[in-house]
Structures are given as structure tokens and as C-alpha cells.
Amino acid sequence: MADNLIQKKGESTWYVKLAIPSDVRQAFGGKAAFIQSLKTGLRSEAMNRRLSVLAGWKAQIKAARDKRSSRGEAWKERLAEDAHDFSKIFRQLKTAVALGEEKPTQLDIDPADLEEFRKFVFSDTESGQRRRAEADEAYAKQGVDKELALLDLAHKALLETFGELIAYANDFSTPETEEMQVILKDPAAYKVKSPITKQRIATFRQYRETRNVATKTIDQQQSKLEKLSAYLTKESRQLDFDAVSAWLDSLKLASKTLTQYLLAGNVFWKWAMKHDARWRENFKDKANPFENHELPQTRGKERADRQRKDFQPKEIAELHSAALAADHTTLADLILLGAYTGARIEELCQLRAEHLIKPDGIESFDIVDSKTAAGIRVVPVHPALAHTVERLKNDSKDGYLIPSDSKNKYGIRSDALSKAFGRLKEAHGYGPQHVFHSIRKTVITQLVRAGVQGTLIAELVGHETGTVTFDVYSQGASAVQKLAAISKLPSLTI
């Protein structure tokens, strides 16, 4: 029957027949196959007529499969919750009976509905007849034993009939029906699975990549989502506000870091609600669990103790000398560049020979790679840097002013040098509050004390001023003005 055509015994009319896959038969009333008369005795005509019928049946099979696949895991969670609630109610009823107490009123059921339920439970089906026999056996008992037996029967019958109705209404497959029965008997058998699946994270990542989000940012957010997913699975918790709150507490991190975790979850949630149909269906009535969290606030002395501190100019000079003494010329040069520009360490490490430009004849650094838009700027070369910059340009082997052998996968060239600076400053007694970025703070402080205008300082170090006038409309200070300002930085005693 490769062409799906058959003739019934004693008939000349052709029929088209298609077997219904076992996994979707429940959706079609348990039928094993579709069959329909093509109302013709001519095989050639039947061959043509069968095509549209077969196409319709295959579409129905696909729709049934799509309906099943779109169910996801949500129905299992709801079923486990209902089964747990049923068990709790009957436990309380049995406890009251055993202790001779008044039974708590747990269910408000219309008598008419109760009668319909009773008829369904004790129907003429095989399972209905079995339950009727079990009921007769329970009624034959006396006193407390009778009441307890009837409650056990009622509980069992409720779960059975509840399951039958759910399976019928949702066209459950045999494996789904079997899993449903296991959950009804033991709600704890179902372990809540994290909805933040590997596939969802992968799809989310692809979406973020198409939006040109930095790879490092994507990696960091993916790592945070994977940690949350692992927590939800391990603790068998649903994704809600309480679970996220408990997860944040378990991390034992500073509020600033926890904010980044919440940001990752927030971005993912909004993406899923917009682009993932099943997620949208499962969480359509749920609030965003990553919003409205109150993180611990650091106050007073604790906050001051955590803030980064700037170096004194003489301390920068001492670190520069220490780097030279350790024969780490590259680190010494980097410290010097930082002290006379206020630039971030990666900005300096990304400088190439072609980034030395001369607007208005003034040699300057053209910083074209920065973490912010305001960071893209031009900074004049401080007079004290002239010889160092010339040497770095002449000695460059790969075009970069600062040589680096960092193998960072994000293309960050400052990684090894940042660690080297960390070791250097720790060896000279500086703690976690002092980092390379502290030199940037020193520069800003020195410019303020030298009387340089705030907007010009912001322009030199790559900060926004927060005003439309200067951030949007102004073309900024001239190269001459910038040089005059940067030259006010005191020369280090080296």
C-alpha cells in the first residue's frame, strides 16, 4: 500500500488510507488509521484524488504533534502542585478522623457537581466497577477504620479520574500519560527543571551577537544565567521572585556585583517574553522576577573602605622606579603614560603608532578604542612624555606603542600588564583599594587642584559632563587649550 490506495473486499471503489502514528492516536480518538472513499473505480483518477486528502491528514498529524511539543514542562509543574494540594487536604482529613476532631472544610463543591463526579467515578467502565468494589469493601468496615478507608478511596479515585480527564483533554501520548500517573501518585517524583535551558541560552546568545553586543558582555551574562539555571535545578525551584532572591543571597557578593546578575536576568527575561512563544505562554501572568530586589546597602565607613583610592604623585614615581628596578620597562612606561594622560590601562595598550596625530601641530594621542562613547577623544602628549613616546614608536615591532603578549580571548592587551601592576603595588604595601585605575583618579585630582575647568577635565579623561550643551552641541576645547591643561600636571620626580 505504498500509494495509500486500497479496495475493500467486494467493492470496486478506491479508498485512501493513512496509518496514524502511535504518538498522536489519542488526539484522534485512538484510531489507528484514517480511511476515506475517493468515490471512483478508476485507479488513475484515485491516484490524483488521494493527494489532497493525504495532505490534509498529514497537516492534522503535524498540528497534533505541534500541540504536544508546545506543552513543554509547565503542565508537569501544575500537576505536581495540584497532586501535592490534594494529598495535603486528605492528610489533614485523616488526621482529624484519627484524633476524633472535627474535619476541616477544605473543598466547597456544588452537590450537583459532586453527584456528576460520583457517577463518573463509579461508571460502568472496568475502572469504575473496580472502584465500586473497593467502595463496598470500605463500607463493610466499622468506625474510624471505615472513615479512613473511605478517605483513602476518595483520594485514590480523585487522582485517577483527575488524571483520566487531563489525559483526554490534552491528547496525552502513552509516555505522557504514564509520567502523569507517576506524578499524581508521588508529587515529589517530579523535579522542577529550570526553564533557562541550554537551548534557550544558546538562542539568546545568537540574538545578542546579531545586535553587536560585546563578546565579553555576552559571555559574562551567559555565565550568570547558567549559574541561576543550575541553582534552580539543584534546589528544584520555580523561576520566581523568591527563588531569585534566595539565589542572590546564596552568592554572598557585593551589591554592585549582584546588580550585574540582576541585569543579566532582566535582559534575558525581556528577550524571552518577546521572542520565545512557549516562554511567553508559560510566564504570561508572571511578574518579572528580576525586578524590585532590595540589595544590601553599604554605608559610612564600610563604603569608604571599599572605594578605590588615588595615589600621591610621589607614590606613582616610586612605583615607576620599582618597575624599572625589576627590569620591567614596559610596565614602567605604562605607569608613566597613565600618570600624564589619565587614560585607562586598556586605552593605553590599544594605542598604535598611527594614533599619534598632530592637530594644530600639537602631538597628541588619538584614543579610538574606549569603553564609552565619551572615551573616544584626543589627548595631547605631555611634554614629560615626549622622549618616551618617541622611543616607543621607534621600538614598536607590531605597531602598538606598548608591547604585550597577552593571549586574552577578547583581544584585551592589558590583561598581563594589569596583573603585573597588581603584583608590583602589592609588593610595595598597597591593598585592593589601589589599582592601575587609581592613577586616573590621581590625574583628575591634580587637574582640579591646578584650576583646570571641569568640562575640560572631563574631555581629557573621557567622561560625559551630563549636560546637553557640552556633550551634544560643543565641539570641545582646542588642541592648544588641551595642551595647556594637560601640561599643568606636575612632573614626577623620577
Side-chain angles (χ1 to χ4, degrees), residues 176-204:
E176 285 177 317
T177 301
E178 291 173 350
E179 186 172 7
M180 175 198 68
Q181 291 170 345
V182 170
I183 294 172
L184 285 173
K185 290 178 181 177
D186 179 14
Y190 173 69
K191 302 298 182 183
V192 176
K193 297 178 182 178
S194 169
I196 307 176
T197 61
K198 290 182 179 180
Q199 181 58 48
R200 278 199 170 103
I201 291 177
T203 306
F204 171 65

Side-chain angles (χ1 to χ4, degrees), residues 95-358:
T95 299
V97 169
L99 297 176
E101 299 174 349
E102 183 179 352
K103 289 185 288 186
T105 302
Q106 298 283 354
L107 301 173
D108 183 15
I109 303 177
D110 186 284
D113 292 337
L114 189 60
E115 179 60 22
E116 286 297 317
F117 178 70
R118 191 191 67 77
K119 290 179 181 179
F120 184 81
V121 170
F122 300 116
S123 63
D124 289 332
T125 62
E126 182 179 344
S127 57
Q129 292 175 359
R130 172 181 54 77
R131 284 191 285 263
R132 189 179 301 167
E134 290 173 347
D136 291 340
E137 185 177 339
Y139 273 110
K141 296 183 179 182
Q142 300 293 324
V144 173
D145 289 340
K146 175 182 177 180
E147 289 194 63
L148 292 176
L150 288 173
L151 284 172
D152 283 336
L153 176 62
H155 186 197
K156 179 181 177 183
L158 176 62
L159 294 179
E160 286 182 354
T161 53
F162 183 60
E164 290 171 10
L165 290 170
I166 290 177
Y168 177 79
N170 293 281
D171 301 324
F172 275 177
S173 64
T174 300
E176 285 177 317
T177 301
E178 291 173 350
E179 186 172 7
M180 175 198 68
Q181 291 170 345
V182 170
I183 294 172
L184 285 173
K185 290 178 181 177
D186 179 14
Y190 173 69
K191 302 298 182 183
V192 176
K193 297 178 182 178
S194 169
I196 307 176
T197 61
K198 290 182 179 180
Q199 181 58 48
R200 278 199 170 103
I201 291 177
T203 306
F204 171 65
R205 182 185 183 92
Q206 291 173 358
Y207 173 83
R208 298 281 279 165
E209 288 172 344
T210 63
R211 295 300 186 273
N212 295 319
V213 178
T215 302
K216 184 178 180 180
T217 300
I218 296 175
D219 285 351
Q220 289 174 338
Q221 292 185 343
Q222 177 174 333
S223 173
K224 291 173 174 61
L225 291 170
E226 288 172 344
K227 289 178 182 177
L228 171 57
S229 184
Y231 174 85
L232 294 175
T233 299
K234 179 182 177 182
E235 302 296 327
S236 192
R237 299 192 65 156
Q238 297 180 10
L239 177 59
D240 55 25
F241 180 91
D242 291 338
V244 173
S245 181
W247 172 58
L248 293 175
D249 289 342
S250 72
L251 296 174
K252 302 187 184 306
L253 297 171
S255 295
K256 185 176 180 181
T257 305
L258 294 178
T259 299
Q260 296 303 312
Y261 278 77
L262 287 174
L263 175 61
N266 230 318
V267 173
F268 177 83
W269 175 274
K270 291 177 180 178
W271 164 81
M273 290 298 284
K274 186 174 182 180
H275 299 283
D276 189 317
R278 186 184 296 177
W279 182 285
R280 190 163 55 247
E281 175 63 25
N282 291 344
F283 291 94
K284 62 184 177 183
D285 299 322
K286 307 293 185 182
N288 184 338
F290 299 100
E291 293 182 342
N292 302 317
H293 288 270
E294 293 185 6
L295 300 178
Q297 298 296 314
T298 53
R299 301 171 60 186
K301 184 177 184 300
E302 183 182 2
R303 180 185 298 174
D305 289 344
R306 288 186 181 181
Q307 282 188 336
R308 288 175 178 171
K309 295 181 178 179
D310 56 350
F311 291 106
Q312 294 300 314
K314 68 173 184 177
E315 293 174 334
I316 296 177
E318 290 168 356
L319 289 171
H320 175 268
S321 298
L324 287 176
D327 202 26
H328 203 324
T329 306
T330 299
L331 182 57
D333 290 338
L334 192 60
I335 291 172
L336 209 60
L337 288 174
Y340 287 120
T341 63
R344 302 174 177 91
I345 188 170
E346 183 61 20
E347 291 174 345
L348 296 171
C349 288
Q350 290 293 341
L351 286 173
R352 298 177 63 87
E354 64 261 30
H355 296 150
L356 288 170
I357 60 176
K358 289 190 174 183

Side-chain angles (χ1 to χ4, degrees), residues 394-423:
N394 293 333
D395 291 348
S396 176
K397 294 182 174 56
D398 56 3
Y400 289 101
L401 296 182
I402 296 294
S404 172
D405 56 2
S406 287
K407 298 291 192 283
N408 188 285
K409 64 179 180 179
Y410 304 113
I412 296 175
R413 302 186 72 251
S414 61
D415 193 41
L417 289 165
S418 179
K419 292 175 181 176
F421 181 83
R423 292 190 292 271

